[in-house]
Amino acid sequence: MAADAAAASMVCETYGVGADGLKSKRRFVRMTTDGTDGLLVARAEGKAPAEDAETDRYGTVWRSDDGLRVVASSISRPGGNSLDSPVRLLDADFARGRFREETMGGVTDLDEVIDDGKGGQECRRLD
């Protein structure tokens, strides 16, 4: 991976839309890359993560030549009765201001998710 790739940071909000037309179930993810082999990820519910929020370090799987698109993974060991997914794969596109995250290995990861299609994602660059 190129150590001289661009540094970038963005915060993204995902949300549902309630019957009243307002955002609901708001979740925020702040992603930061410094051009090395890691992606720092902070999460929060309801409002954007604070600057000093706890972050997880994802290992870079692939990075575009300009460093503005990063695919990274995280593997954890959830507790015995946890519903958490042990594998997370995150695709962050800093140039277009969007991201996608997939989880694998969890109790519900192979279940079909029924989505009413009401909701969205908004991202903005911080640098």
Side-chain angles (χ1 to χ4, degrees), residues 88-125:
R88 292 182 175 272
L89 191 62
L90 196 145
D91 183 352
D93 189 341
F94 294 94
R96 292 185 175 174
R98 63 185 184 174
F99 83 105
R100 181 176 174 195
E101 185 172 28
E102 294 291 331
T103 59
M104 294 163 233
V107 173
T108 61
D109 284 329
L110 294 178
D111 293 347
E112 184 174 338
V113 176
I114 299 173
D115 185 5
D116 62 8
K118 295 179 183 174
Q121 179 187 99
E122 298 172 12
C123 295
R124 66 182 169 84
R125 290 280 297 268

mmCIF file of all heavy atoms in Angstrom, residues 88-125:
data_model
loop_
_atom_site.group_PDB
_atom_site.id
_atom_site.type_symbol
_atom_site.label_atom_id
_atom_site.label_comp_id
_atom_site.label_asym_id
_atom_site.label_seq_id
_atom_site.Cartn_x
_atom_site.Cartn_y
_atom_site.Cartn_z
ATOM 1 N N ARG A 88 -16.247 -7.470 9.774
ATOM 2 C CA ARG A 88 -16.831 -6.280 9.149
ATOM 3 C C ARG A 88 -15.953 -5.880 7.968
ATOM 4 O O ARG A 88 -14.728 -5.869 8.086
ATOM 5 C CB ARG A 88 -16.913 -5.112 10.125
ATOM 6 C CG ARG A 88 -17.894 -5.324 11.236
ATOM 7 C CD ARG A 88 -17.967 -4.102 12.134
ATOM 8 N NE ARG A 88 -18.994 -4.262 13.128
ATOM 9 C CZ ARG A 88 -20.263 -3.918 12.954
ATOM 10 N NH1 ARG A 88 -20.656 -3.380 11.833
ATOM 11 N NH2 ARG A 88 -21.145 -4.109 13.911
ATOM 12 N N LEU A 89 -16.582 -5.566 6.868
ATOM 13 C CA LEU A 89 -15.888 -5.103 5.674
ATOM 14 C C LEU A 89 -16.474 -3.745 5.318
ATOM 15 O O LEU A 89 -17.696 -3.618 5.172
ATOM 16 C CB LEU A 89 -16.089 -6.103 4.530
ATOM 17 C CG LEU A 89 -15.237 -5.928 3.296
ATOM 18 C CD1 LEU A 89 -13.761 -6.092 3.636
ATOM 19 C CD2 LEU A 89 -15.629 -6.949 2.241
ATOM 20 N N LEU A 90 -15.630 -2.729 5.227
ATOM 21 C CA LEU A 90 -16.088 -1.368 4.998
ATOM 22 C C LEU A 90 -15.435 -0.821 3.737
ATOM 23 O O LEU A 90 -14.227 -0.922 3.569
ATOM 24 C CB LEU A 90 -15.714 -0.504 6.211
ATOM 25 C CG LEU A 90 -16.428 0.821 6.317
ATOM 26 C CD1 LEU A 90 -16.669 1.142 7.778
ATOM 27 C CD2 LEU A 90 -15.630 1.910 5.678
ATOM 28 N N ASP A 91 -16.247 -0.260 2.843
ATOM 29 C CA ASP A 91 -15.799 0.349 1.595
ATOM 30 C C ASP A 91 -16.093 1.841 1.697
ATOM 31 O O ASP A 91 -17.249 2.248 1.666
ATOM 32 C CB ASP A 91 -16.551 -0.297 0.424
ATOM 33 C CG ASP A 91 -16.110 0.207 -0.940
ATOM 34 O OD1 ASP A 91 -15.333 1.175 -1.019
ATOM 35 O OD2 ASP A 91 -16.566 -0.375 -1.943
ATOM 36 N N ALA A 92 -15.073 2.661 1.878
ATOM 37 C CA ALA A 92 -15.230 4.106 2.039
ATOM 38 C C ALA A 92 -14.754 4.817 0.778
ATOM 39 O O ALA A 92 -13.619 4.630 0.346
ATOM 40 C CB ALA A 92 -14.437 4.592 3.246
ATOM 41 N N ASP A 93 -15.632 5.617 0.190
ATOM 42 C CA ASP A 93 -15.305 6.388 -1.011
ATOM 43 C C ASP A 93 -15.296 7.863 -0.625
ATOM 44 O O ASP A 93 -16.338 8.520 -0.603
ATOM 45 C CB ASP A 93 -16.323 6.106 -2.111
ATOM 46 C CG ASP A 93 -15.933 6.708 -3.442
ATOM 47 O OD1 ASP A 93 -15.090 7.630 -3.457
ATOM 48 O OD2 ASP A 93 -16.473 6.264 -4.468
ATOM 49 N N PHE A 94 -14.113 8.377 -0.285
ATOM 50 C CA PHE A 94 -13.987 9.756 0.151
ATOM 51 C C PHE A 94 -14.216 10.732 -0.994
ATOM 52 O O PHE A 94 -14.664 11.851 -0.770
ATOM 53 C CB PHE A 94 -12.602 9.992 0.773
ATOM 54 C CG PHE A 94 -12.398 9.228 2.047
ATOM 55 C CD1 PHE A 94 -11.791 7.983 2.045
ATOM 56 C CD2 PHE A 94 -12.814 9.753 3.258
ATOM 57 C CE1 PHE A 94 -11.601 7.281 3.223
ATOM 58 C CE2 PHE A 94 -12.628 9.057 4.441
ATOM 59 C CZ PHE A 94 -12.031 7.816 4.425
ATOM 60 N N ALA A 95 -13.932 10.346 -2.229
ATOM 61 C CA ALA A 95 -14.111 11.231 -3.380
ATOM 62 C C ALA A 95 -15.590 11.482 -3.668
ATOM 63 O O ALA A 95 -15.981 12.602 -3.996
ATOM 64 C CB ALA A 95 -13.436 10.633 -4.612
ATOM 65 N N ARG A 96 -16.430 10.469 -3.528
ATOM 66 C CA ARG A 96 -17.865 10.607 -3.810
ATOM 67 C C ARG A 96 -18.699 10.835 -2.556
ATOM 68 O O ARG A 96 -19.894 11.053 -2.647
ATOM 69 C CB ARG A 96 -18.375 9.363 -4.534
ATOM 70 C CG ARG A 96 -17.816 9.235 -5.916
ATOM 71 C CD ARG A 96 -18.442 8.072 -6.608
ATOM 72 N NE ARG A 96 -18.009 8.003 -7.987
ATOM 73 C CZ ARG A 96 -18.317 7.020 -8.790
ATOM 74 N NH1 ARG A 96 -19.061 6.024 -8.366
ATOM 75 N NH2 ARG A 96 -17.887 7.014 -10.027
ATOM 76 N N GLY A 97 -18.085 10.711 -1.389
ATOM 77 C CA GLY A 97 -18.801 10.930 -0.142
ATOM 78 C C GLY A 97 -19.847 9.877 0.132
ATOM 79 O O GLY A 97 -21.026 10.184 0.325
ATOM 80 N N ARG A 98 -19.417 8.621 0.164
ATOM 81 C CA ARG A 98 -20.338 7.528 0.485
ATOM 82 C C ARG A 98 -19.548 6.334 1.016
ATOM 83 O O ARG A 98 -18.338 6.270 0.882
ATOM 84 C CB ARG A 98 -21.186 7.142 -0.714
ATOM 85 C CG ARG A 98 -20.390 6.619 -1.881
ATOM 86 C CD ARG A 98 -21.268 6.368 -3.072
ATOM 87 N NE ARG A 98 -20.487 5.782 -4.142
ATOM 88 C CZ ARG A 98 -20.999 5.349 -5.263
ATOM 89 N NH1 ARG A 98 -22.276 5.420 -5.466
ATOM 90 N NH2 ARG A 98 -20.234 4.836 -6.179
ATOM 91 N N PHE A 99 -20.280 5.400 1.641
ATOM 92 C CA PHE A 99 -19.635 4.195 2.146
ATOM 93 C C PHE A 99 -20.643 3.052 2.154
ATOM 94 O O PHE A 99 -21.848 3.250 2.056
ATOM 95 C CB PHE A 99 -19.054 4.412 3.544
ATOM 96 C CG PHE A 99 -20.055 4.252 4.659
ATOM 97 C CD1 PHE A 99 -20.052 3.118 5.444
ATOM 98 C CD2 PHE A 99 -20.996 5.228 4.914
ATOM 99 C CE1 PHE A 99 -20.976 2.957 6.470
ATOM 100 C CE2 PHE A 99 -21.917 5.087 5.938
ATOM 101 C CZ PHE A 99 -21.910 3.952 6.714
ATOM 102 N N ARG A 100 -20.101 1.866 2.273
ATOM 103 C CA ARG A 100 -20.919 0.659 2.400
ATOM 104 C C ARG A 100 -20.230 -0.244 3.401
ATOM 105 O O ARG A 100 -19.005 -0.354 3.411
ATOM 106 C CB ARG A 100 -21.039 -0.039 1.057
ATOM 107 C CG ARG A 100 -21.885 -1.281 1.120
ATOM 108 C CD ARG A 100 -22.065 -1.882 -0.238
ATOM 109 N NE ARG A 100 -22.775 -3.142 -0.091
ATOM 110 C CZ ARG A 100 -22.851 -4.049 -1.017
ATOM 111 N NH1 ARG A 100 -22.265 -3.846 -2.176
ATOM 112 N NH2 ARG A 100 -23.502 -5.158 -0.825
ATOM 113 N N GLU A 101 -21.026 -0.882 4.237
ATOM 114 C CA GLU A 101 -20.464 -1.791 5.221
ATOM 115 C C GLU A 101 -21.235 -3.090 5.201
ATOM 116 O O GLU A 101 -22.459 -3.097 5.131
ATOM 117 C CB GLU A 101 -20.526 -1.170 6.619
ATOM 118 C CG GLU A 101 -19.856 -2.014 7.664
ATOM 119 C CD GLU A 101 -19.757 -1.313 8.999
ATOM 120 O OE1 GLU A 101 -20.607 -0.463 9.308
ATOM 121 O OE2 GLU A 101 -18.818 -1.627 9.738
ATOM 122 N N GLU A 102 -20.513 -4.186 5.239
ATOM 123 C CA GLU A 102 -21.100 -5.524 5.297
ATOM 124 C C GLU A 102 -20.574 -6.225 6.536
ATOM 125 O O GLU A 102 -19.419 -6.046 6.908
ATOM 126 C CB GLU A 102 -20.729 -6.346 4.058
ATOM 127 C CG GLU A 102 -21.309 -5.818 2.763
ATOM 128 C CD GLU A 102 -22.815 -5.978 2.665
ATOM 129 O OE1 GLU A 102 -23.361 -6.926 3.271
ATOM 130 O OE2 GLU A 102 -23.443 -5.149 1.984
ATOM 131 N N THR A 103 -21.431 -7.023 7.149
ATOM 132 C CA THR A 103 -21.004 -7.831 8.283
ATOM 133 C C THR A 103 -21.148 -9.300 7.916
ATOM 134 O O THR A 103 -21.987 -9.662 7.089
ATOM 135 C CB THR A 103 -21.846 -7.527 9.541
ATOM 136 O OG1 THR A 103 -23.216 -7.792 9.248
ATOM 137 C CG2 THR A 103 -21.678 -6.081 9.973
ATOM 138 N N MET A 104 -20.314 -10.121 8.530
ATOM 139 C CA MET A 104 -20.329 -11.549 8.244
ATOM 140 C C MET A 104 -20.032 -12.339 9.506
ATOM 141 O O MET A 104 -19.318 -11.867 10.380
ATOM 142 C CB MET A 104 -19.284 -11.882 7.182
ATOM 143 C CG MET A 104 -19.584 -11.287 5.827
ATOM 144 S SD MET A 104 -18.128 -11.296 4.796
ATOM 145 C CE MET A 104 -18.091 -9.595 4.328
ATOM 146 N N GLY A 105 -20.591 -13.538 9.584
ATOM 147 C CA GLY A 105 -20.296 -14.439 10.685
ATOM 148 C C GLY A 105 -21.185 -14.291 11.896
ATOM 149 O O GLY A 105 -21.077 -15.053 12.841
ATOM 150 N N GLY A 106 -22.078 -13.317 11.897
ATOM 151 C CA GLY A 106 -22.968 -13.103 13.033
ATOM 152 C C GLY A 106 -24.209 -13.977 12.960
ATOM 153 O O GLY A 106 -24.485 -14.621 11.948
ATOM 154 N N VAL A 107 -24.971 -13.976 14.032
ATOM 155 C CA VAL A 107 -26.169 -14.809 14.137
ATOM 156 C C VAL A 107 -27.172 -14.501 13.025
ATOM 157 O O VAL A 107 -27.771 -15.401 12.457
ATOM 158 C CB VAL A 107 -26.829 -14.617 15.521
ATOM 159 C CG1 VAL A 107 -28.164 -15.321 15.602
ATOM 160 C CG2 VAL A 107 -25.904 -15.118 16.612
ATOM 161 N N THR A 108 -27.346 -13.236 12.674
ATOM 162 C CA THR A 108 -28.370 -12.871 11.686
ATOM 163 C C THR A 108 -27.802 -12.509 10.323
ATOM 164 O O THR A 108 -28.546 -12.093 9.441
ATOM 165 C CB THR A 108 -29.200 -11.672 12.199
ATOM 166 O OG1 THR A 108 -28.313 -10.557 12.378
ATOM 167 C CG2 THR A 108 -29.905 -12.005 13.491
ATOM 168 N N ASP A 109 -26.506 -12.659 10.106
ATOM 169 C CA ASP A 109 -25.903 -12.215 8.853
ATOM 170 C C ASP A 109 -26.392 -12.963 7.617
ATOM 171 O O ASP A 109 -26.322 -12.434 6.514
ATOM 172 C CB ASP A 109 -24.376 -12.277 8.929
ATOM 173 C CG ASP A 109 -23.810 -11.137 9.752
ATOM 174 O OD1 ASP A 109 -24.426 -10.061 9.763
ATOM 175 O OD2 ASP A 109 -22.770 -11.332 10.386
ATOM 176 N N LEU A 110 -26.891 -14.169 7.758
ATOM 177 C CA LEU A 110 -27.383 -14.905 6.594
ATOM 178 C C LEU A 110 -28.897 -14.787 6.436
ATOM 179 O O LEU A 110 -29.469 -15.288 5.474
ATOM 180 C CB LEU A 110 -26.983 -16.384 6.677
ATOM 181 C CG LEU A 110 -25.478 -16.631 6.574
ATOM 182 C CD1 LEU A 110 -25.190 -18.122 6.708
ATOM 183 C CD2 LEU A 110 -24.907 -16.097 5.278
ATOM 184 N N ASP A 111 -29.561 -14.114 7.383
ATOM 185 C CA ASP A 111 -31.002 -13.921 7.286
ATOM 186 C C ASP A 111 -31.322 -12.879 6.227
ATOM 187 O O ASP A 111 -30.547 -11.954 5.986
ATOM 188 C CB ASP A 111 -31.590 -13.460 8.626
ATOM 189 C CG ASP A 111 -31.484 -14.540 9.687
ATOM 190 O OD1 ASP A 111 -31.200 -15.695 9.326
ATOM 191 O OD2 ASP A 111 -31.694 -14.220 10.857
ATOM 192 N N GLU A 112 -32.478 -13.006 5.609
ATOM 193 C CA GLU A 112 -32.916 -12.021 4.633
ATOM 194 C C GLU A 112 -33.456 -10.804 5.374
ATOM 195 O O GLU A 112 -34.266 -10.918 6.291
ATOM 196 C CB GLU A 112 -34.015 -12.611 3.749
ATOM 197 C CG GLU A 112 -34.448 -11.684 2.643
ATOM 198 C CD GLU A 112 -35.427 -12.337 1.688
ATOM 199 O OE1 GLU A 112 -35.461 -13.577 1.615
ATOM 200 O OE2 GLU A 112 -36.167 -11.601 1.037
ATOM 201 N N VAL A 113 -32.979 -9.644 4.991
ATOM 202 C CA VAL A 113 -33.420 -8.410 5.631
ATOM 203 C C VAL A 113 -34.515 -7.793 4.782
ATOM 204 O O VAL A 113 -34.359 -7.592 3.585
ATOM 205 C CB VAL A 113 -32.240 -7.421 5.772
ATOM 206 C CG1 VAL A 113 -32.716 -6.106 6.356
ATOM 207 C CG2 VAL A 113 -31.149 -8.033 6.629
ATOM 208 N N ILE A 114 -35.634 -7.513 5.422
ATOM 209 C CA ILE A 114 -36.733 -6.856 4.724
ATOM 210 C C ILE A 114 -36.596 -5.365 4.963
ATOM 211 O O ILE A 114 -36.582 -4.896 6.092
ATOM 212 C CB ILE A 114 -38.097 -7.370 5.225
ATOM 213 C CG1 ILE A 114 -38.187 -8.865 4.937
ATOM 214 C CG2 ILE A 114 -39.226 -6.602 4.580
ATOM 215 C CD1 ILE A 114 -39.395 -9.534 5.511
ATOM 216 N N ASP A 115 -36.496 -4.626 3.897
ATOM 217 C CA ASP A 115 -36.262 -3.189 3.968
ATOM 218 C C ASP A 115 -37.398 -2.473 3.271
ATOM 219 O O ASP A 115 -37.729 -2.783 2.130
ATOM 220 C CB ASP A 115 -34.928 -2.871 3.288
ATOM 221 C CG ASP A 115 -34.534 -1.418 3.401
ATOM 222 O OD1 ASP A 115 -35.231 -0.643 4.078
ATOM 223 O OD2 ASP A 115 -33.509 -1.055 2.803
ATOM 224 N N ASP A 116 -37.995 -1.493 3.942
ATOM 225 C CA ASP A 116 -39.094 -0.757 3.325
ATOM 226 C C ASP A 116 -38.592 0.308 2.358
ATOM 227 O O ASP A 116 -39.377 0.992 1.713
ATOM 228 C CB ASP A 116 -40.012 -0.145 4.376
ATOM 229 C CG ASP A 116 -39.312 0.870 5.255
ATOM 230 O OD1 ASP A 116 -38.152 1.230 4.959
ATOM 231 O OD2 ASP A 116 -39.925 1.316 6.236
ATOM 232 N N GLY A 117 -37.280 0.444 2.253
ATOM 233 C CA GLY A 117 -36.701 1.378 1.295
ATOM 234 C C GLY A 117 -36.730 2.823 1.742
ATOM 235 O O GLY A 117 -36.261 3.698 1.040
ATOM 236 N N LYS A 118 -37.286 3.091 2.906
ATOM 237 C CA LYS A 118 -37.354 4.458 3.391
ATOM 238 C C LYS A 118 -36.157 4.730 4.279
ATOM 239 O O LYS A 118 -36.028 4.161 5.346
ATOM 240 C CB LYS A 118 -38.642 4.684 4.178
ATOM 241 C CG LYS A 118 -39.887 4.557 3.334
ATOM 242 C CD LYS A 118 -41.111 4.764 4.172
ATOM 243 C CE LYS A 118 -42.364 4.563 3.337
ATOM 244 N NZ LYS A 118 -43.558 4.622 4.167
ATOM 245 N N GLY A 119 -35.301 5.558 3.811
ATOM 246 C CA GLY A 119 -34.110 5.898 4.571
ATOM 247 C C GLY A 119 -33.052 6.420 3.638
ATOM 248 O O GLY A 119 -33.280 6.574 2.440
ATOM 249 N N GLY A 120 -31.926 6.706 4.183
ATOM 250 C CA GLY A 120 -30.885 7.236 3.327
ATOM 251 C C GLY A 120 -29.549 7.288 4.017
ATOM 252 O O GLY A 120 -29.366 6.820 5.135
ATOM 253 N N GLN A 121 -28.620 7.907 3.302
ATOM 254 C CA GLN A 121 -27.256 8.066 3.772
ATOM 255 C C GLN A 121 -26.773 9.420 3.297
ATOM 256 O O GLN A 121 -27.021 9.809 2.158
ATOM 257 C CB GLN A 121 -26.375 6.963 3.193
ATOM 258 C CG GLN A 121 -24.933 7.050 3.607
ATOM 259 C CD GLN A 121 -24.063 6.050 2.884
ATOM 260 O OE1 GLN A 121 -23.408 6.403 1.925
ATOM 261 N NE2 GLN A 121 -24.064 4.813 3.342
ATOM 262 N N GLU A 122 -26.121 10.144 4.175
ATOM 263 C CA GLU A 122 -25.520 11.427 3.824
ATOM 264 C C GLU A 122 -24.096 11.435 4.373
ATOM 265 O O GLU A 122 -23.884 11.063 5.521
ATOM 266 C CB GLU A 122 -26.303 12.588 4.446
ATOM 267 C CG GLU A 122 -27.725 12.680 3.963
ATOM 268 C CD GLU A 122 -28.541 13.717 4.732
ATOM 269 O OE1 GLU A 122 -27.958 14.527 5.489
ATOM 270 O OE2 GLU A 122 -29.768 13.691 4.591
ATOM 271 N N CYS A 123 -23.142 11.843 3.547
ATOM 272 C CA CYS A 123 -21.752 11.918 3.977
ATOM 273 C C CYS A 123 -21.201 13.293 3.643
ATOM 274 O O CYS A 123 -21.603 13.903 2.659
ATOM 275 C CB CYS A 123 -20.899 10.867 3.254
ATOM 276 S SG CYS A 123 -21.321 9.166 3.639
ATOM 277 N N ARG A 124 -20.271 13.752 4.470
ATOM 278 C CA ARG A 124 -19.573 14.995 4.169
ATOM 279 C C ARG A 124 -18.118 14.866 4.572
ATOM 280 O O ARG A 124 -17.799 14.270 5.589
ATOM 281 C CB ARG A 124 -20.225 16.188 4.834
ATOM 282 C CG ARG A 124 -20.159 16.188 6.321
ATOM 283 C CD ARG A 124 -20.888 17.404 6.916
ATOM 284 N NE ARG A 124 -21.034 17.259 8.339
ATOM 285 C CZ ARG A 124 -20.111 17.580 9.234
ATOM 286 N NH1 ARG A 124 -18.961 18.066 8.838
ATOM 287 N NH2 ARG A 124 -20.327 17.395 10.521
ATOM 288 N N ARG A 125 -17.257 15.399 3.734
ATOM 289 C CA ARG A 125 -15.825 15.381 4.015
ATOM 290 C C ARG A 125 -15.521 16.333 5.151
ATOM 291 O O ARG A 125 -16.116 17.388 5.279
ATOM 292 C CB ARG A 125 -15.031 15.801 2.784
ATOM 293 C CG ARG A 125 -15.024 14.817 1.631
ATOM 294 C CD ARG A 125 -14.051 13.688 1.827
ATOM 295 N NE ARG A 125 -12.671 14.083 1.902
ATOM 296 C CZ ARG A 125 -11.833 14.145 0.874
ATOM 297 N NH1 ARG A 125 -12.240 13.816 -0.330
ATOM 298 N NH2 ARG A 125 -10.577 14.522 1.054
#
